[in-house]
Amino acid sequence: TRITEHLLALTRLDSLPAGEEWAVDVARVTERTVALLQPVADAAGVTVEKHLKPGCAVLCTEDDLSQICYNLVENAVKYNYNGGKVFVSVYRDGDQVLLEVGDTGVGIPEEDLPKVFNRFYRVDKARSRESGGTGLGLSIAREIVLRHHGTIALASHDGPGTTVRIVLPIRQKEEGAV
């Protein structure tokens, strides 16, 4: 089911023009998405810490923003350890909003870093099959971020784990400011 959902999401992103965008509060959508995944984190013994600054709206769709956040937080929980932590931050830096999801999990080997956003790429194929990974979550997030004129990258990270940083510009509609 997850593979089908991910393939449908990629097909939609590949074939449809960008949808109607409006000002979306990144912190509010992130809060809702983390709450949705909290039972999964609790079952895995993973603590989720949030640092969400209000006033971080971008021109986007709620569905797209939810999909990005869901994929990142789900990965951070899924590839973590019992007793591990996930850190979710939303903040504004000038004319940009940053969404960062970091974890204390298994991390990504250096040789795999350039490939993690490719479709169907899985760092540890055996472990991904165990946990239900399709190798599509990060590529879906990348496609959505690019569609909204942003960037996605692995950020430098102290200690074990991974941090993914999304930067979305605060843009304006033609009729006025966001």
Side-chain angles (χ1 to χ4, degrees), residues 26 33 39 59 69 103 121 128 132 134 141 149 154 166-167:
V26 179
T33 305
L59 211 51
C69 188
D103 64 67
Y121 188 78
S128 293
T134 62
H149 312 286
L154 297 173
I166 306 265
V167 179

Side-chain angles (χ1 to χ4, degrees), residues 55-76:
C56 293
V58 297
L59 211 51
C60 193
T61 68
E62 283 200 33
D63 286 346
D64 283 352
L65 201 51
S66 293
Q67 183 73 58
I68 292 168
C69 188
Y70 189 93
N71 289 354
L72 297 182
V73 174
E74 181 186 44
N75 278 353

Side-chain angles (χ1 to χ4, degrees), residues 18 72 90 96 108 117 119 149 161 174 178:
L72 297 182
V90 173
Q96 301 174 327
I108 300 170
F117 294 107
R119 292 180 183 186
H149 312 286
E174 289 179 19
V178 173

